[in-house]
PDB file of all heavy atoms in Angstrom:
ATOM      1  N   GLN B   1     117.867  88.972  94.577  1.00  0.00           N
ATOM      2  CA  GLN B   1     117.093  88.377  95.649  1.00  0.00           C
ATOM      3  C   GLN B   1     116.240  89.422  96.364  1.00  0.00           C
ATOM      4  O   GLN B   1     116.612  90.598  96.443  1.00  0.00           O
ATOM      5  CB  GLN B   1     118.018  87.689  96.657  1.00  0.00           C
ATOM      6  CG  GLN B   1     118.784  86.510  96.089  1.00  0.00           C
ATOM      7  CD  GLN B   1     117.862  85.380  95.660  1.00  0.00           C
ATOM      8  OE1 GLN B   1     116.942  85.003  96.392  1.00  0.00           O
ATOM      9  NE2 GLN B   1     118.091  84.836  94.477  1.00  0.00           N
ATOM     10  N   LYS B   2     115.102  88.987  96.890  1.00  0.00           N
ATOM     11  CA  LYS B   2     114.195  89.882  97.604  1.00  0.00           C
ATOM     12  C   LYS B   2     114.922  90.585  98.757  1.00  0.00           C
ATOM     13  O   LYS B   2     115.669  89.955  99.505  1.00  0.00           O
ATOM     14  CB  LYS B   2     113.008  89.085  98.156  1.00  0.00           C
ATOM     15  CG  LYS B   2     111.961  89.927  98.866  1.00  0.00           C
ATOM     16  CD  LYS B   2     110.795  89.064  99.306  1.00  0.00           C
ATOM     17  CE  LYS B   2     109.743  89.894 100.040  1.00  0.00           C
ATOM     18  NZ  LYS B   2     108.578  89.072 100.454  1.00  0.00           N
ATOM     19  N   GLY B   3     114.722  91.889  98.858  1.00  0.00           N
ATOM     20  CA  GLY B   3     115.340  92.671  99.918  1.00  0.00           C
ATOM     21  C   GLY B   3     116.614  93.381  99.491  1.00  0.00           C
ATOM     22  O   GLY B   3     117.111  94.244 100.220  1.00  0.00           O
ATOM     23  N   LYS B   4     117.137  93.056  98.315  1.00  0.00           N
ATOM     24  CA  LYS B   4     118.344  93.691  97.821  1.00  0.00           C
ATOM     25  C   LYS B   4     118.053  95.138  97.426  1.00  0.00           C
ATOM     26  O   LYS B   4     117.171  95.414  96.624  1.00  0.00           O
ATOM     27  CB  LYS B   4     118.882  92.919  96.611  1.00  0.00           C
ATOM     28  CG  LYS B   4     120.052  93.581  95.887  1.00  0.00           C
ATOM     29  CD  LYS B   4     121.324  93.523  96.698  1.00  0.00           C
ATOM     30  CE  LYS B   4     122.493  94.071  95.878  1.00  0.00           C
ATOM     31  NZ  LYS B   4     123.755  94.073  96.658  1.00  0.00           N
ATOM     32  N   LYS B   5     118.815  96.092  98.017  1.00  0.00           N
ATOM     33  CA  LYS B   5     118.688  97.507  97.679  1.00  0.00           C
ATOM     34  C   LYS B   5     119.962  97.982  96.991  1.00  0.00           C
ATOM     35  O   LYS B   5     121.055  97.524  97.334  1.00  0.00           O
ATOM     36  CB  LYS B   5     118.444  98.343  98.939  1.00  0.00           C
ATOM     37  CG  LYS B   5     117.116  98.099  99.622  1.00  0.00           C
ATOM     38  CD  LYS B   5     116.968  99.013 100.836  1.00  0.00           C
ATOM     39  CE  LYS B   5     115.643  98.795 101.553  1.00  0.00           C
ATOM     40  NZ  LYS B   5     115.484  99.691 102.732  1.00  0.00           N
ATOM     41  N   TYR B   6     119.816  98.922  96.064  1.00  0.00           N
ATOM     42  CA  TYR B   6     120.999  99.390  95.348  1.00  0.00           C
ATOM     43  C   TYR B   6     120.738 100.740  94.683  1.00  0.00           C
ATOM     44  O   TYR B   6     119.608 101.084  94.342  1.00  0.00           O
ATOM     45  CB  TYR B   6     121.418  98.362  94.280  1.00  0.00           C
ATOM     46  CG  TYR B   6     120.286  97.825  93.428  1.00  0.00           C
ATOM     47  CD1 TYR B   6     120.007  98.359  92.177  1.00  0.00           C
ATOM     48  CD2 TYR B   6     119.488  96.780  93.890  1.00  0.00           C
ATOM     49  CE1 TYR B   6     118.979  97.862  91.398  1.00  0.00           C
ATOM     50  CE2 TYR B   6     118.449  96.270  93.112  1.00  0.00           C
ATOM     51  CZ  TYR B   6     118.200  96.817  91.869  1.00  0.00           C
ATOM     52  OH  TYR B   6     117.161  96.328  91.108  1.00  0.00           O
ATOM     53  N   ARG B   7     121.810 101.508  94.536  1.00  0.00           N
ATOM     54  CA  ARG B   7     121.743 102.755  93.781  1.00  0.00           C
ATOM     55  C   ARG B   7     121.895 102.425  92.309  1.00  0.00           C
ATOM     56  O   ARG B   7     122.815 101.724  91.915  1.00  0.00           O
ATOM     57  CB  ARG B   7     122.856 103.719  94.210  1.00  0.00           C
ATOM     58  CG  ARG B   7     122.607 104.420  95.548  1.00  0.00           C
ATOM     59  CD  ARG B   7     123.581 105.579  95.709  1.00  0.00           C
ATOM     60  NE  ARG B   7     123.396 106.287  96.973  1.00  0.00           N
ATOM     61  CZ  ARG B   7     122.493 107.240  97.174  1.00  0.00           C
ATOM     62  NH1 ARG B   7     121.672 107.589  96.189  1.00  0.00           N
ATOM     63  NH2 ARG B   7     122.395 107.845  98.344  1.00  0.00           N
ATOM     64  N   GLN B   8     121.015 102.964  91.496  1.00  0.00           N
ATOM     65  CA  GLN B   8     121.094 102.742  90.056  1.00  0.00           C
ATOM     66  C   GLN B   8     121.951 103.798  89.367  1.00  0.00           C
ATOM     67  O   GLN B   8     122.402 103.601  88.236  1.00  0.00           O
ATOM     68  CB  GLN B   8     119.693 102.734  89.454  1.00  0.00           C
ATOM     69  CG  GLN B   8     118.828 101.587  89.969  1.00  0.00           C
ATOM     70  CD  GLN B   8     117.421 101.647  89.431  1.00  0.00           C
ATOM     71  OE1 GLN B   8     116.754 102.675  89.491  1.00  0.00           O
ATOM     72  NE2 GLN B   8     116.960 100.539  88.889  1.00  0.00           N
ATOM     73  N   GLU B   9     122.145 104.906  90.035  1.00  0.00           N
ATOM     74  CA  GLU B   9     122.945 106.015  89.515  1.00  0.00           C
ATOM     75  C   GLU B   9     123.215 106.961  90.677  1.00  0.00           C
ATOM     76  O   GLU B   9     122.477 106.957  91.671  1.00  0.00           O
ATOM     77  CB  GLU B   9     122.192 106.760  88.407  1.00  0.00           C
ATOM     78  CG  GLU B   9     120.827 107.274  88.863  1.00  0.00           C
ATOM     79  CD  GLU B   9     119.990 107.882  87.760  1.00  0.00           C
ATOM     80  OE1 GLU B   9     120.413 107.839  86.591  1.00  0.00           O
ATOM     81  OE2 GLU B   9     118.915 108.417  88.058  1.00  0.00           O
ATOM     82  N   TYR B  10     124.281 107.755  90.555  1.00  0.00           N
ATOM     83  CA  TYR B  10     124.500 108.749  91.602  1.00  0.00           C
ATOM     84  C   TYR B  10     125.258 109.963  91.080  1.00  0.00           C
ATOM     85  O   TYR B  10     126.473 109.957  90.909  1.00  0.00           O
ATOM     86  CB  TYR B  10     125.247 108.169  92.798  1.00  0.00           C
ATOM     87  CG  TYR B  10     125.169 109.105  94.004  1.00  0.00           C
ATOM     88  CD1 TYR B  10     123.941 109.378  94.582  1.00  0.00           C
ATOM     89  CD2 TYR B  10     126.290 109.735  94.523  1.00  0.00           C
ATOM     90  CE1 TYR B  10     123.815 110.258  95.654  1.00  0.00           C
ATOM     91  CE2 TYR B  10     126.192 110.606  95.595  1.00  0.00           C
ATOM     92  CZ  TYR B  10     124.949 110.865  96.151  1.00  0.00           C
ATOM     93  OH  TYR B  10     124.841 111.742  97.209  1.00  0.00           O
ATOM     94  N   TYR B  11     124.480 110.978  90.787  1.00  0.00           N
ATOM     95  CA  TYR B  11     125.002 112.292  90.428  1.00  0.00           C
ATOM     96  C   TYR B  11     124.246 113.261  91.314  1.00  0.00           C
ATOM     97  O   TYR B  11     123.092 113.589  91.051  1.00  0.00           O
ATOM     98  CB  TYR B  11     124.762 112.566  88.941  1.00  0.00           C
ATOM     99  CG  TYR B  11     125.284 113.889  88.444  1.00  0.00           C
ATOM    100  CD1 TYR B  11     126.317 114.567  89.093  1.00  0.00           C
ATOM    101  CD2 TYR B  11     124.762 114.473  87.292  1.00  0.00           C
ATOM    102  CE1 TYR B  11     126.790 115.781  88.631  1.00  0.00           C
ATOM    103  CE2 TYR B  11     125.228 115.684  86.809  1.00  0.00           C
ATOM    104  CZ  TYR B  11     126.244 116.332  87.476  1.00  0.00           C
ATOM    105  OH  TYR B  11     126.712 117.537  87.016  1.00  0.00           O
ATOM    106  N   PHE B  12     124.861 113.696  92.386  1.00  0.00           N
ATOM    107  CA  PHE B  12     124.185 114.424  93.464  1.00  0.00           C
ATOM    108  C   PHE B  12     123.340 115.583  92.937  1.00  0.00           C
ATOM    109  O   PHE B  12     123.793 116.426  92.163  1.00  0.00           O
ATOM    110  CB  PHE B  12     125.226 114.945  94.453  1.00  0.00           C
ATOM    111  CG  PHE B  12     124.634 115.643  95.646  1.00  0.00           C
ATOM    112  CD1 PHE B  12     123.834 114.950  96.541  1.00  0.00           C
ATOM    113  CD2 PHE B  12     124.866 116.993  95.862  1.00  0.00           C
ATOM    114  CE1 PHE B  12     123.284 115.593  97.643  1.00  0.00           C
ATOM    115  CE2 PHE B  12     124.332 117.644  96.970  1.00  0.00           C
ATOM    116  CZ  PHE B  12     123.534 116.941  97.858  1.00  0.00           C
ATOM    117  N   ASN B  13     122.076 115.566  93.381  1.00  0.00           N
ATOM    118  CA  ASN B  13     121.089 116.588  93.038  1.00  0.00           C
ATOM    119  C   ASN B  13     120.661 116.581  91.567  1.00  0.00           C
ATOM    120  O   ASN B  13     119.920 117.458  91.142  1.00  0.00           O
ATOM    121  CB  ASN B  13     121.578 117.988  93.409  1.00  0.00           C
ATOM    122  CG  ASN B  13     121.264 118.330  94.853  1.00  0.00           C
ATOM    123  OD1 ASN B  13     120.436 117.688  95.491  1.00  0.00           O
ATOM    124  ND2 ASN B  13     121.936 119.338  95.384  1.00  0.00           N
ATOM    125  N   GLU B  14     121.130 115.605  90.799  1.00  0.00           N
ATOM    126  CA  GLU B  14     120.771 115.530  89.394  1.00  0.00           C
ATOM    127  C   GLU B  14     120.173 114.174  89.010  1.00  0.00           C
ATOM    128  O   GLU B  14     119.149 114.111  88.340  1.00  0.00           O
ATOM    129  CB  GLU B  14     122.002 115.810  88.508  1.00  0.00           C
ATOM    130  CG  GLU B  14     122.595 117.203  88.666  1.00  0.00           C
ATOM    131  CD  GLU B  14     121.692 118.298  88.150  1.00  0.00           C
ATOM    132  OE1 GLU B  14     120.832 118.009  87.293  1.00  0.00           O
ATOM    133  OE2 GLU B  14     121.839 119.454  88.586  1.00  0.00           O
ATOM    134  N   ALA B  15     120.825 113.096  89.440  1.00  0.00           N
ATOM    135  CA  ALA B  15     120.368 111.746  89.096  1.00  0.00           C
ATOM    136  C   ALA B  15     120.655 110.830  90.278  1.00  0.00           C
ATOM    137  O   ALA B  15     121.810 110.521  90.550  1.00  0.00           O
ATOM    138  CB  ALA B  15     121.087 111.245  87.845  1.00  0.00           C
ATOM    139  N   GLU B  16     119.605 110.417  90.979  1.00  0.00           N
ATOM    140  CA  GLU B  16     119.798 109.645  92.206  1.00  0.00           C
ATOM    141  C   GLU B  16     118.787 108.490  92.316  1.00  0.00           C
ATOM    142  O   GLU B  16     118.246 108.222  93.382  1.00  0.00           O
ATOM    143  CB  GLU B  16     119.688 110.547  93.439  1.00  0.00           C
ATOM    144  CG  GLU B  16     120.728 111.652  93.511  1.00  0.00           C
ATOM    145  CD  GLU B  16     120.680 112.431  94.814  1.00  0.00           C
ATOM    146  OE1 GLU B  16     120.293 111.844  95.842  1.00  0.00           O
ATOM    147  OE2 GLU B  16     121.010 113.634  94.809  1.00  0.00           O
ATOM    148  N   ASP B  17     118.540 107.810  91.226  1.00  0.00           N
ATOM    149  CA  ASP B  17     117.585 106.694  91.254  1.00  0.00           C
ATOM    150  C   ASP B  17     118.098 105.537  92.114  1.00  0.00           C
ATOM    151  O   ASP B  17     119.288 105.199  92.078  1.00  0.00           O
ATOM    152  CB  ASP B  17     117.323 106.177  89.840  1.00  0.00           C
ATOM    153  CG  ASP B  17     116.488 107.142  89.014  1.00  0.00           C
ATOM    154  OD1 ASP B  17     116.140 108.216  89.539  1.00  0.00           O
ATOM    155  OD2 ASP B  17     116.191 106.815  87.854  1.00  0.00           O
ATOM    156  N   GLN B  18     117.178 104.944  92.875  1.00  0.00           N
ATOM    157  CA  GLN B  18     117.486 103.788  93.705  1.00  0.00           C
ATOM    158  C   GLN B  18     116.413 102.718  93.485  1.00  0.00           C
ATOM    159  O   GLN B  18     115.328 103.006  92.977  1.00  0.00           O
ATOM    160  CB  GLN B  18     117.525 104.177  95.186  1.00  0.00           C
ATOM    161  CG  GLN B  18     118.564 105.228  95.518  1.00  0.00           C
ATOM    162  CD  GLN B  18     118.608 105.548  97.002  1.00  0.00           C
ATOM    163  OE1 GLN B  18     118.938 104.686  97.816  1.00  0.00           O
ATOM    164  NE2 GLN B  18     118.276 106.772  97.358  1.00  0.00           N
ATOM    165  N   ALA B  19     116.727 101.493  93.862  1.00  0.00           N
ATOM    166  CA  ALA B  19     115.767 100.404  93.680  1.00  0.00           C
ATOM    167  C   ALA B  19     115.925  99.356  94.768  1.00  0.00           C
ATOM    168  O   ALA B  19     116.973  99.248  95.401  1.00  0.00           O
ATOM    169  CB  ALA B  19     115.946  99.756  92.314  1.00  0.00           C
ATOM    170  N   GLU B  20     114.855  98.609  94.976  1.00  0.00           N
ATOM    171  CA  GLU B  20     114.862  97.469  95.889  1.00  0.00           C
ATOM    172  C   GLU B  20     114.051  96.340  95.255  1.00  0.00           C
ATOM    173  O   GLU B  20     112.964  96.582  94.718  1.00  0.00           O
ATOM    174  CB  GLU B  20     114.252  97.829  97.237  1.00  0.00           C
ATOM    175  CG  GLU B  20     114.189  96.640  98.203  1.00  0.00           C
ATOM    176  CD  GLU B  20     113.500  96.964  99.516  1.00  0.00           C
ATOM    177  OE1 GLU B  20     112.996  98.096  99.664  1.00  0.00           O
ATOM    178  OE2 GLU B  20     113.451  96.063 100.376  1.00  0.00           O
ATOM    179  N   ILE B  21     114.582  95.144  95.294  1.00  0.00           N
ATOM    180  CA  ILE B  21     113.832  93.982  94.798  1.00  0.00           C
ATOM    181  C   ILE B  21     112.851  93.579  95.891  1.00  0.00           C
ATOM    182  O   ILE B  21     113.251  93.244  97.006  1.00  0.00           O
ATOM    183  CB  ILE B  21     114.777  92.826  94.446  1.00  0.00           C
ATOM    184  CG1 ILE B  21     115.697  93.250  93.305  1.00  0.00           C
ATOM    185  CG2 ILE B  21     113.977  91.582  94.044  1.00  0.00           C
ATOM    186  CD1 ILE B  21     116.832  92.319  93.034  1.00  0.00           C
ATOM    187  N   ILE B  22     111.549  93.644  95.582  1.00  0.00           N
ATOM    188  CA  ILE B  22     110.539  93.412  96.617  1.00  0.00           C
ATOM    189  C   ILE B  22     109.779  92.095  96.447  1.00  0.00           C
ATOM    190  O   ILE B  22     109.145  91.625  97.384  1.00  0.00           O
ATOM    191  CB  ILE B  22     109.546  94.590  96.713  1.00  0.00           C
ATOM    192  CG1 ILE B  22     108.851  94.843  95.371  1.00  0.00           C
ATOM    193  CG2 ILE B  22     110.257  95.844  97.181  1.00  0.00           C
ATOM    194  CD1 ILE B  22     107.778  95.933  95.448  1.00  0.00           C
ATOM    195  N   GLU B  23     109.832  91.501  95.242  1.00  0.00           N
ATOM    196  CA  GLU B  23     109.181  90.196  95.042  1.00  0.00           C
ATOM    197  C   GLU B  23     109.906  89.423  93.951  1.00  0.00           C
ATOM    198  O   GLU B  23     110.470  90.013  93.019  1.00  0.00           O
ATOM    199  CB  GLU B  23     107.707  90.364  94.654  1.00  0.00           C
ATOM    200  CG  GLU B  23     106.800  90.868  95.765  1.00  0.00           C
ATOM    201  CD  GLU B  23     105.329  90.833  95.386  1.00  0.00           C
ATOM    202  OE1 GLU B  23     104.821  89.718  95.129  1.00  0.00           O
ATOM    203  OE2 GLU B  23     104.709  91.907  95.323  1.00  0.00           O
ATOM    204  N   THR B  24     109.870  88.105  94.069  1.00  0.00           N
ATOM    205  CA  THR B  24     110.438  87.241  93.028  1.00  0.00           C
ATOM    206  C   THR B  24     109.450  86.112  92.729  1.00  0.00           C
ATOM    207  O   THR B  24     108.477  85.908  93.469  1.00  0.00           O
ATOM    208  CB  THR B  24     111.781  86.637  93.475  1.00  0.00           C
ATOM    209  OG1 THR B  24     111.574  85.851  94.659  1.00  0.00           O
ATOM    210  CG2 THR B  24     112.811  87.733  93.770  1.00  0.00           C
ATOM    211  N   GLY B  25     109.683  85.393  91.642  1.00  0.00           N
ATOM    212  CA  GLY B  25     108.836  84.248  91.303  1.00  0.00           C
ATOM    213  C   GLY B  25     107.427  84.593  90.887  1.00  0.00           C
ATOM    214  O   GLY B  25     106.502  83.780  91.041  1.00  0.00           O
ATOM    215  N   LEU B  26     107.237  85.784  90.324  1.00  0.00           N
ATOM    216  CA  LEU B  26     105.894  86.232  89.948  1.00  0.00           C
ATOM    217  C   LEU B  26     105.504  85.783  88.545  1.00  0.00           C
ATOM    218  O   LEU B  26     106.359  85.532  87.688  1.00  0.00           O
ATOM    219  CB  LEU B  26     105.828  87.761  90.003  1.00  0.00           C
ATOM    220  CG  LEU B  26     106.078  88.432  91.353  1.00  0.00           C
ATOM    221  CD1 LEU B  26     106.090  89.946  91.168  1.00  0.00           C
ATOM    222  CD2 LEU B  26     105.010  88.029  92.347  1.00  0.00           C
ATOM    223  N   SER B  27     104.204  85.740  88.318  1.00  0.00           N
ATOM    224  CA  SER B  27     103.655  85.532  86.980  1.00  0.00           C
ATOM    225  C   SER B  27     103.018  86.853  86.552  1.00  0.00           C
ATOM    226  O   SER B  27     102.184  87.413  87.274  1.00  0.00           O
ATOM    227  CB  SER B  27     102.603  84.424  86.990  1.00  0.00           C
ATOM    228  OG  SER B  27     102.047  84.263  85.699  1.00  0.00           O
ATOM    229  N   VAL B  28     103.433  87.372  85.405  1.00  0.00           N
ATOM    230  CA  VAL B  28     102.966  88.685  84.948  1.00  0.00           C
ATOM    231  C   VAL B  28     102.509  88.590  83.499  1.00  0.00           C
ATOM    232  O   VAL B  28     103.192  87.998  82.649  1.00  0.00           O
ATOM    233  CB  VAL B  28     104.088  89.743  85.066  1.00  0.00           C
ATOM    234  CG1 VAL B  28     103.585  91.109  84.590  1.00  0.00           C
ATOM    235  CG2 VAL B  28     104.597  89.839  86.498  1.00  0.00           C
ATOM    236  N   THR B  29     101.354  89.186  83.207  1.00  0.00           N
ATOM    237  CA  THR B  29     100.816  89.202  81.854  1.00  0.00           C
ATOM    238  C   THR B  29     100.812  90.621  81.303  1.00  0.00           C
ATOM    239  O   THR B  29     100.335  91.554  81.962  1.00  0.00           O
ATOM    240  CB  THR B  29      99.376  88.639  81.823  1.00  0.00           C
ATOM    241  OG1 THR B  29      99.393  87.269  82.244  1.00  0.00           O
ATOM    242  CG2 THR B  29      98.804  88.709  80.415  1.00  0.00           C
ATOM    243  N   VAL B  30     101.356  90.789  80.121  1.00  0.00           N
ATOM    244  CA  VAL B  30     101.341  92.059  79.393  1.00  0.00           C
ATOM    245  C   VAL B  30     100.900  91.735  77.966  1.00  0.00           C
ATOM    246  O   VAL B  30     100.792  90.564  77.601  1.00  0.00           O
ATOM    247  CB  VAL B  30     102.740  92.720  79.389  1.00  0.00           C
ATOM    248  CG1 VAL B  30     103.151  93.115  80.798  1.00  0.00           C
ATOM    249  CG2 VAL B  30     103.793  91.803  78.769  1.00  0.00           C
ATOM    250  N   PRO B  31     100.622  92.746  77.144  1.00  0.00           N
ATOM    251  CA  PRO B  31     100.178  92.447  75.774  1.00  0.00           C
ATOM    252  C   PRO B  31     101.116  91.544  74.984  1.00  0.00           C
ATOM    253  O   PRO B  31     100.664  90.787  74.111  1.00  0.00           O
ATOM    254  CB  PRO B  31     100.089  93.848  75.142  1.00  0.00           C
ATOM    255  CG  PRO B  31      99.733  94.732  76.287  1.00  0.00           C
ATOM    256  CD  PRO B  31     100.520  94.183  77.449  1.00  0.00           C
ATOM    257  N   PHE B  32     102.400  91.572  75.304  1.00  0.00           N
ATOM    258  CA  PHE B  32     103.366  90.756  74.571  1.00  0.00           C
ATOM    259  C   PHE B  32     103.318  89.286  74.982  1.00  0.00           C
ATOM    260  O   PHE B  32     103.799  88.413  74.264  1.00  0.00           O
ATOM    261  CB  PHE B  32     104.779  91.313  74.773  1.00  0.00           C
ATOM    262  CG  PHE B  32     105.825  90.659  73.913  1.00  0.00           C
ATOM    263  CD1 PHE B  32     105.807  90.811  72.537  1.00  0.00           C
ATOM    264  CD2 PHE B  32     106.823  89.880  74.488  1.00  0.00           C
ATOM    265  CE1 PHE B  32     106.775  90.192  71.734  1.00  0.00           C
ATOM    266  CE2 PHE B  32     107.790  89.268  73.698  1.00  0.00           C
ATOM    267  CZ  PHE B  32     107.768  89.425  72.316  1.00  0.00           C
ATOM    268  N   GLY B  33     102.721  89.000  76.161  1.00  0.00           N
ATOM    269  CA  GLY B  33     102.624  87.614  76.592  1.00  0.00           C
ATOM    270  C   GLY B  33     102.569  87.473  78.103  1.00  0.00           C
ATOM    271  O   GLY B  33     102.572  88.458  78.842  1.00  0.00           O
ATOM    272  N   THR B  34     102.511  86.238  78.565  1.00  0.00           N
ATOM    273  CA  THR B  34     102.504  85.924  79.994  1.00  0.00           C
ATOM    274  C   THR B  34     103.853  85.311  80.360  1.00  0.00           C
ATOM    275  O   THR B  34     104.347  84.413  79.672  1.00  0.00           O
ATOM    276  CB  THR B  34     101.383  84.936  80.341  1.00  0.00           C
ATOM    277  OG1 THR B  34     100.122  85.563  80.070  1.00  0.00           O
ATOM    278  CG2 THR B  34     101.430  84.555  81.817  1.00  0.00           C
ATOM    279  N   PHE B  35     104.439  85.812  81.468  1.00  0.00           N
ATOM    280  CA  PHE B  35     105.776  85.392  81.854  1.00  0.00           C
ATOM    281  C   PHE B  35     105.788  84.928  83.316  1.00  0.00           C
ATOM    282  O   PHE B  35     105.105  85.513  84.160  1.00  0.00           O
ATOM    283  CB  PHE B  35     106.769  86.545  81.673  1.00  0.00           C
ATOM    284  CG  PHE B  35     106.818  87.066  80.263  1.00  0.00           C
ATOM    285  CD1 PHE B  35     105.976  88.094  79.855  1.00  0.00           C
ATOM    286  CD2 PHE B  35     107.684  86.514  79.337  1.00  0.00           C
ATOM    287  CE1 PHE B  35     106.013  88.572  78.554  1.00  0.00           C
ATOM    288  CE2 PHE B  35     107.728  86.977  78.027  1.00  0.00           C
ATOM    289  CZ  PHE B  35     106.891  88.010  77.636  1.00  0.00           C
ATOM    290  N   THR B  36     106.537  83.887  83.577  1.00  0.00           N
ATOM    291  CA  THR B  36     106.700  83.386  84.942  1.00  0.00           C
ATOM    292  C   THR B  36     108.111  83.688  85.439  1.00  0.00           C
ATOM    293  O   THR B  36     108.969  84.129  84.664  1.00  0.00           O
ATOM    294  CB  THR B  36     106.448  81.865  84.988  1.00  0.00           C
ATOM    295  OG1 THR B  36     107.369  81.213  84.104  1.00  0.00           O
ATOM    296  CG2 THR B  36     105.023  81.528  84.565  1.00  0.00           C
ATOM    297  N   ASN B  37     108.331  83.437  86.711  1.00  0.00           N
ATOM    298  CA  ASN B  37     109.635  83.681  87.325  1.00  0.00           C
ATOM    299  C   ASN B  37     110.087  85.125  87.158  1.00  0.00           C
ATOM    300  O   ASN B  37     111.266  85.405  86.916  1.00  0.00           O
ATOM    301  CB  ASN B  37     110.695  82.728  86.751  1.00  0.00           C
ATOM    302  CG  ASN B  37     111.938  82.650  87.626  1.00  0.00           C
ATOM    303  OD1 ASN B  37     111.863  82.836  88.843  1.00  0.00           O
ATOM    304  ND2 ASN B  37     113.088  82.400  87.022  1.00  0.00           N
ATOM    305  N   CYS B  38     109.129  86.051  87.276  1.00  0.00           N
ATOM    306  CA  CYS B  38     109.441  87.479  87.151  1.00  0.00           C
ATOM    307  C   CYS B  38     109.860  88.054  88.506  1.00  0.00           C
ATOM    308  O   CYS B  38     109.520  87.523  89.559  1.00  0.00           O
ATOM    309  CB  CYS B  38     108.218  88.244  86.648  1.00  0.00           C
ATOM    310  SG  CYS B  38     107.658  87.759  85.004  1.00  0.00           S
ATOM    311  N   ILE B  39     110.607  89.144  88.445  1.00  0.00           N
ATOM    312  CA  ILE B  39     110.957  89.875  89.669  1.00  0.00           C
ATOM    313  C   ILE B  39     110.315  91.260  89.623  1.00  0.00           C
ATOM    314  O   ILE B  39     110.063  91.805  88.545  1.00  0.00           O
ATOM    315  CB  ILE B  39     112.473  89.994  89.866  1.00  0.00           C
ATOM    316  CG1 ILE B  39     113.119  90.796  88.726  1.00  0.00           C
ATOM    317  CG2 ILE B  39     113.124  88.618  90.001  1.00  0.00           C
ATOM    318  CD1 ILE B  39     114.600  91.062  88.954  1.00  0.00           C
ATOM    319  N   LYS B  40     110.042  91.784  90.813  1.00  0.00           N
ATOM    320  CA  LYS B  40     109.413  93.101  90.944  1.00  0.00           C
ATOM    321  C   LYS B  40     110.315  93.997  91.776  1.00  0.00           C
ATOM    322  O   LYS B  40     110.779  93.603  92.846  1.00  0.00           O
ATOM    323  CB  LYS B  40     108.050  92.949  91.622  1.00  0.00           C
ATOM    324  CG  LYS B  40     107.298  94.253  91.879  1.00  0.00           C
ATOM    325  CD  LYS B  40     105.973  93.958  92.589  1.00  0.00           C
ATOM    326  CE  LYS B  40     105.191  95.211  92.907  1.00  0.00           C
ATOM    327  NZ  LYS B  40     103.903  94.896  93.610  1.00  0.00           N
ATOM    328  N   THR B  41     110.564  95.192  91.272  1.00  0.00           N
ATOM    329  CA  THR B  41     111.373  96.155  92.017  1.00  0.00           C
ATOM    330  C   THR B  41     110.544  97.382  92.380  1.00  0.00           C
ATOM    331  O   THR B  41     109.554  97.693  91.714  1.00  0.00           O
ATOM    332  CB  THR B  41     112.594  96.617  91.201  1.00  0.00           C
ATOM    333  OG1 THR B  41     112.146  97.365  90.046  1.00  0.00           O
ATOM    334  CG2 THR B  41     113.444  95.443  90.756  1.00  0.00           C
TER     335      THR B  41
END
């Protein structure tokens, strides 16, 4: 859901990726095709 934040990994000073879901219900087109109900982080 939009607004959800989370750590994707945690190895101090080595691997500390984080993410937040910022949009949902998107339509996105890439060379492989067009997709609906996409989420953006």
Side-chain angles (χ1 to χ4, degrees):
Q1 296 296 314
K2 183 177 179 179
K4 173 71 174 178
K5 293 182 180 180
Y6 46 97
R7 284 194 180 277
Q8 296 176 310
E9 56 186 5
Y10 194 64
Y11 181 23
F12 183 64
N13 274 343
E14 297 292 337
E16 298 186 30
D17 288 1
Q18 300 182 64
E20 178 184 4
I21 297 169
I22 57 176
E23 290 188 62
T24 60
L26 298 175
S27 178
V28 180
T29 297
V30 295
F32 188 67
T34 296
F35 302 90
T36 59
N37 197 29
C38 297
I39 63 174
K40 178 181 179 180
T41 66

